[in-house]
Amino acid sequence: MKRNHRIGAVAVLALAALVTGTGAGFAATTTPSATPVATHAFDAAPATATAPTRSFQGALPAPTGPYAAGEDVIHLTDASRLDPWVPSSGPRQLAVTMVYPAVPGTGTPAPYMTLAEAAGIVQRQNLPASSGVTPQTLSSVTTHAFDGARPQRGKYPLVVLSPAYEDPRITLTSLATDLASHGYVVALVGDTYGDSGETLANGQTPPCAICGDPARIDSIPASRALDVSFVIDQLTHGNTAWRLAHLIDKHEIGMAGHSIGGAAAAATMIADPRVRAGVNMDGTFHPAPMPGQINRPFLMLGTADNHPVGGDNWGQAWAALGGYKKWLTVAGADHFSFSDLDLLHEQAGFPTPPLSPERGVEITREYVTAFFDQTLKGIHRPLLDGPSPNNPEVLFQP
């Protein structure tokens, strides 16, 4: 398998593969169309009664901006279309986490996810109790976001975040809280029936219906683009969908995604001109954009191993992009350096890539925020002009 074609996280939380101590736990498979897909395999023997129980207390890094991060979870139903993965379930339902600039010292600590969402991860990945990763410990990861926090006054650009294939929306929480602390409203959009479970308005947390089905992969970005356009509609047409919708500057909207979420960012930009800037974090485009389809700012941020210069997929996308664009690779990173996952791996005592997980989070935050500052707020960020001595891991391509 050529790693530059890898689409990314197929398991919900790669902790599962690492419980065995076997490393990243990737297993290559091939779809009928010969498109390579990376998966996580969990092949551990059943836990024995004598296996020691690990201690897992997860914590994401604190936001770096001047504001605190407030959080609300909203539930939206798109009555205009059936769920694309399970049509028999009725209209498309979405769980969306809104993160916003807040007044420090207000609100109460927000959980990382619901207990049911955490149980879905543990069950799907068959995590043994000896790992220390339980629904209780996973849902109680410290996020530095606060439920019901008092919002800062003003209007802020909206950034939509889309996770990797089979990964729940919460895996981009560390990026979301940092963006909010720097003056952005962030919408983390889950892919209902497309991951280990998103708790819906009725309290149910349905399991994944398309996980492990490579035939579905090419249709995911376009499906998520429909989800995102619907969410943008709900957040910018009146104030009924979210109590703090007045915070959003509806003329300044961006989107970033990890893995197939990055492909979804490109698909959304092609379909919805309201999205003025996009970021793909280490995801293969499905398909690569054609010339003329994206003439707005776009950042490609990834690993050199997965997307080398001269590689077909990112190379085609780079040539087609018509607006302001940057292609950055991060030395020593792996696919999960751009989400919360490597950091959680480290905190659970499992192997991590050469680039420390803390640096992975820091670099992702710095460059994504700088990109949106420059493209949505019109603030020049020299960080994007070229190599920085403070970030020697970040290489500017071509």
Side-chain angles (χ1 to χ4, degrees), residues 250-347:
K250 64 182 180 180
H251 301 294
E252 301 295 344
I253 300 174
M255 181 174 175
H258 175 228
S259 193
I260 209 165
T268 303
M269 290 188 72
I270 292 170
D272 194 332
R274 294 175 296 180
V275 181
R276 294 168 52 87
V279 181
N280 181 351
M281 297 181 291
D282 209 48
T284 295
F285 292 91
H286 287 267
M290 301 295 291
Q293 287 187 313
I294 300 179
N295 292 321
R296 283 157 283 159
F298 204 90
L299 169 65
M300 304 192 318
L301 175 67
T303 64
D305 287 346
N306 293 337
H307 306 288
V309 175
D312 292 343
N313 188 264
W314 273 34
Q316 291 174 9
W318 178 257
L321 295 173
Y324 173 81
K325 58 185 179 180
K326 293 292 179 180
W327 179 346
L328 309 180
T329 58
V330 184
D334 72 1
H335 190 60
F336 304 102
S337 297
F338 308 96
S339 72
D340 299 345
L341 296 180
D342 274 347
L343 191 62
L344 296 179
H345 299 169
E346 180 183 61
Q347 292 169 353

Side-chain angles (χ1 to χ4, degrees), residues 151-177:
Q152 296 282 349
R153 294 182 178 180
K155 287 189 176 293
Y156 305 93
L158 171 66
V159 174
V160 181
L161 296 182
S162 185
Y165 178 38
E166 297 192 11
D167 285 359
R169 69 190 192 278
I170 56 88
T171 56
L172 295 176
T173 298
S174 60
L175 176 58
T177 55

Side-chain angles (χ1 to χ4, degrees), residues 6-386:
R6 184 174 130 195
I7 65 138
V10 177
V12 178
L13 194 63
L15 287 167
L18 298 178
V19 169
T20 66
T22 57
F26 292 118
T29 62
T30 304
T31 72
S33 61
T35 301
V37 176
T39 64
H40 292 297
F42 182 67
D43 299 320
T48 65
T50 58
T53 298
R54 302 187 187 188
S55 175
F56 172 68
Q57 293 182 322
L60 304 180
T64 62
Y67 306 133
E71 179 180 304
D72 284 334
V73 176
I74 62 175
H75 299 93
L76 305 174
T77 299
D78 185 353
S80 71
R81 67 185 179 115
L82 295 176
D83 187 277
W85 312 131
V86 183
S88 61
S89 68
R92 178 67 161 165
Q93 298 183 67
L94 297 171
V96 182
T97 299
M98 303 299 304
V99 191
Y100 57 92
V103 176
T106 64
T108 58
Y112 193 40
M113 64 183 86
T114 67
L115 270 174
E117 289 166 344
I121 291 174
V122 172
Q123 180 179 6
R124 176 165 178 78
Q125 298 304 323
N126 194 27
L127 289 168
S130 60
S131 71
V133 183
T134 67
Q136 290 74 23
T137 59
L138 192 53
S139 64
S140 63
V141 166
T142 300
T143 67
H144 299 283
F146 294 88
D147 283 332
R150 189 164 73 248
Q152 296 282 349
R153 294 182 178 180
K155 287 189 176 293
Y156 305 93
L158 171 66
V159 174
V160 181
L161 296 182
S162 185
Y165 178 38
E166 297 192 11
D167 285 359
R169 69 190 192 278
I170 56 88
T171 56
L172 295 176
T173 298
S174 60
L175 176 58
T177 55
D178 201 58
L179 283 166
S181 78
H182 287 277
Y184 292 89
V185 172
V186 182
L188 285 158
V189 182
D191 190 357
T192 308
Y193 293 108
D195 60 38
S196 57
E198 304 282 347
T199 300
L200 303 178
N202 61 7
Q204 296 181 353
T205 308
C208 192
I210 63 170
C211 294
D213 183 359
R216 299 279 198 166
I217 289 170
D218 286 342
S219 59
I220 291 173
S223 175
R224 291 196 187 181
L226 292 174
D227 288 344
V228 171
S229 289
F230 168 71
V231 170
I232 292 173
D233 288 343
Q234 295 296 297
L235 293 175
T236 59
H237 293 170
N239 296 333
T240 57
W242 180 43
R243 67 185 181 92
L244 299 177
H246 62 275
L247 296 176
I248 296 172
D249 180 350
K250 64 182 180 180
H251 301 294
E252 301 295 344
I253 300 174
M255 181 174 175
H258 175 228
S259 193
I260 209 165
T268 303
M269 290 188 72
I270 292 170
D272 194 332
R274 294 175 296 180
V275 181
R276 294 168 52 87
V279 181
N280 181 351
M281 297 181 291
D282 209 48
T284 295
F285 292 91
H286 287 267
M290 301 295 291
Q293 287 187 313
I294 300 179
N295 292 321
R296 283 157 283 159
F298 204 90
L299 169 65
M300 304 192 318
L301 175 67
T303 64
D305 287 346
N306 293 337
H307 306 288
V309 175
D312 292 343
N313 188 264
W314 273 34
Q316 291 174 9
W318 178 257
L321 295 173
Y324 173 81
K325 58 185 179 180
K326 293 292 179 180
W327 179 346
L328 309 180
T329 58
V330 184
D334 72 1
H335 190 60
F336 304 102
S337 297
F338 308 96
S339 72
D340 299 345
L341 296 180
D342 274 347
L343 191 62
L344 296 179
H345 299 169
E346 180 183 61
Q347 292 169 353
F350 304 129
T352 54
L355 181 74
S356 76
E358 294 80 5
R359 279 295 288 157
V361 169
E362 183 178 12
I363 287 169
T364 301
R365 286 172 154 190
E366 284 188 6
Y367 282 87
V368 172
T369 300
F371 178 77
F372 286 130
D373 281 353
Q374 189 150 310
T375 58
L376 298 181
K377 293 183 177 181
I379 302 171
H380 175 237
R381 295 302 186 197
L383 187 67
L384 298 173
D385 292 344

